[in-house]
Amino acid sequence: MIRITLIIMSLVLSACAEASETAPSPRAEGLGELGELTELDSSERGASEAGIDPLEDAGPAAEVTPASDVNDTSTEREEDVHADALDAALEEEVAVQDTSPQDAASIPEEDSSLSEGEWSWPEGLYGSVPPTAFPPPEFLALNHDGESRGPEDLMGKPTVMWFFPFAGTPG
Amino acid sequence: MRIVGVGFQDPATNDAWVEDQGYQYEVWTDEDRMLSVTYGAADNANAFFPARVTVLLDEQGELLLEYPNVVIDVHPPQVLSDCELLFGTAN
């Protein structure tokens, strides 16, 4: 009885193995047009391996291609497509960064005058330039004599304003 | 050139400090915390005390430079250097 079961199991396994070898790869099927290209490539490759020019005669060598070959070539083709897409994206990025003289001329007059810049920040500054300059807020402060201070007290000359955590602390 | 110290403590406390240190400039109490919040010394008006931050404003009170990470030992000469670069030594 056990022997019969083993024989049946071995038959089933061999049938499964045959099915997996002959069935087309789902991945190649899913690739659609790419899958067709892959088959063409693999047939060309098979022909060239056989020493036959695929343009003249596809020949019997091109007709049957093992599924494992299809998988290999589809992977290679997929990598090629990804590499091509990456190259295209890089070229596009370089094109965007590269401003030709014609592009520079198309910049409005005001912008180009700003880019020339009559005034620029001196080198060697310790402080950081804020992203945007803005006027003082409406605020209410008292000086150490108890007198009110407001935005108008920051006008007329440059101000260094330093914040301290507590009176009596260094700084 | 104007120098202003800003903190949260009351004017009397600041006055005693000014007297003690002999400061030749005003020390303000940020009553509504607006200065501290605007210039990044406090996250909000409920902050317990302002962080050690310095800002440099121009003649119209507009923000020119900010010093968010003050290192006490080297900070005053750095601000002085920036003022000289921007406004010259006359100011």
Side-chain angles (χ1 to χ4, degrees):
Chain A
M1 185 66 183
I2 294 171
R3 194 169 181 174
I4 292 170
T5 307
L6 287 173
I7 289 169
I8 292 170
M9 283 179 67
S10 65
L11 284 173
V12 168
L13 285 174
S14 62
C16 287
E18 280 178 16
S20 66
E21 282 178 7
T22 53
S25 159
R27 189 170 181 176
E29 276 183 346
L31 288 175
E33 189 178 340
L34 182 60
E36 290 169 16
L37 288 172
T38 303
E39 285 177 10
L40 182 64
D41 278 0
S42 61
S43 67
E44 285 175 2
R45 194 177 71 170
S48 64
E49 281 172 359
I52 301 166
D53 186 353
L55 292 176
E56 289 178 1
D57 181 10
E63 287 175 6
V64 180
T65 305
S68 58
D69 272 5
V70 172
N71 278 341
D72 288 349
T73 51
S74 70
T75 307
E76 287 169 9
R77 190 73 188 178
E78 197 176 350
E79 285 173 0
D80 286 349
V81 168
H82 287 173
D84 289 348
L86 186 61
D87 287 346
L90 283 173
E91 282 173 13
E92 197 173 319
E93 192 175 339
V94 169
V96 168
Q97 286 176 354
D98 182 21
T99 306
S100 65
Q102 190 177 0
D103 292 339
S106 66
I107 297 173
E109 188 69 24
E110 288 180 6
D111 288 351
S112 56
S113 66
L114 283 176
S115 63
E116 287 170 8
E118 294 177 0
W119 187 87
S120 61
W121 292 97
E123 290 182 8
L125 288 173
Y126 291 101
S128 12
V129 179
T132 53
F134 49 86
E138 288 297 325
F139 66 92
L140 175 61
L142 297 172
N143 82 347
H144 59 271
D145 292 329
E147 297 169 351
S148 294
R149 293 288 183 261
E152 65 280 2
D153 295 303
L154 295 174
M155 304 294 172
K157 52 185 177 181
T159 303
V160 174
M161 182 179 289
W162 59 277
F163 295 85
F164 58 90
F166 295 102
T169 53
Chain B
M1 197 79 214
R2 177 190 295 116
I3 300 175
V4 175
V6 180
F8 288 177
Q9 288 169 291
D10 60 87
T13 304
N14 290 336
D15 189 47
W17 189 36
V18 168
E19 286 287 323
D20 182 57
Q21 295 295 314
Y23 290 147
Q24 301 298 307
Y25 49 84
E26 294 190 354
V27 174
W28 293 358
T29 303
D30 191 5
E31 284 282 283
D32 54 5
R33 312 305 194 239
M34 187 58 78
L35 287 171
S36 301
V37 171
T38 300
Y39 296 121
D43 290 335
N44 54 61
N46 297 319
F48 188 51
F49 57 86
R52 219 178 273 283
V53 166
T54 300
V55 292
L56 182 57
L57 312 177
D58 68 8
E59 295 89 339
Q60 283 76 45
E62 286 200 355
L63 180 61
L64 274 182
L65 293 177
E66 51 195 4
Y67 305 80
N69 302 306
V70 170
V71 178
I72 295 172
D73 294 342
V74 296
H75 186 55
Q78 290 178 343
V79 177
L80 185 62
S81 167
D82 284 358
C83 289
E84 287 175 352
L85 283 171
L86 290 170
F87 309 116
T89 51
N91 286 299

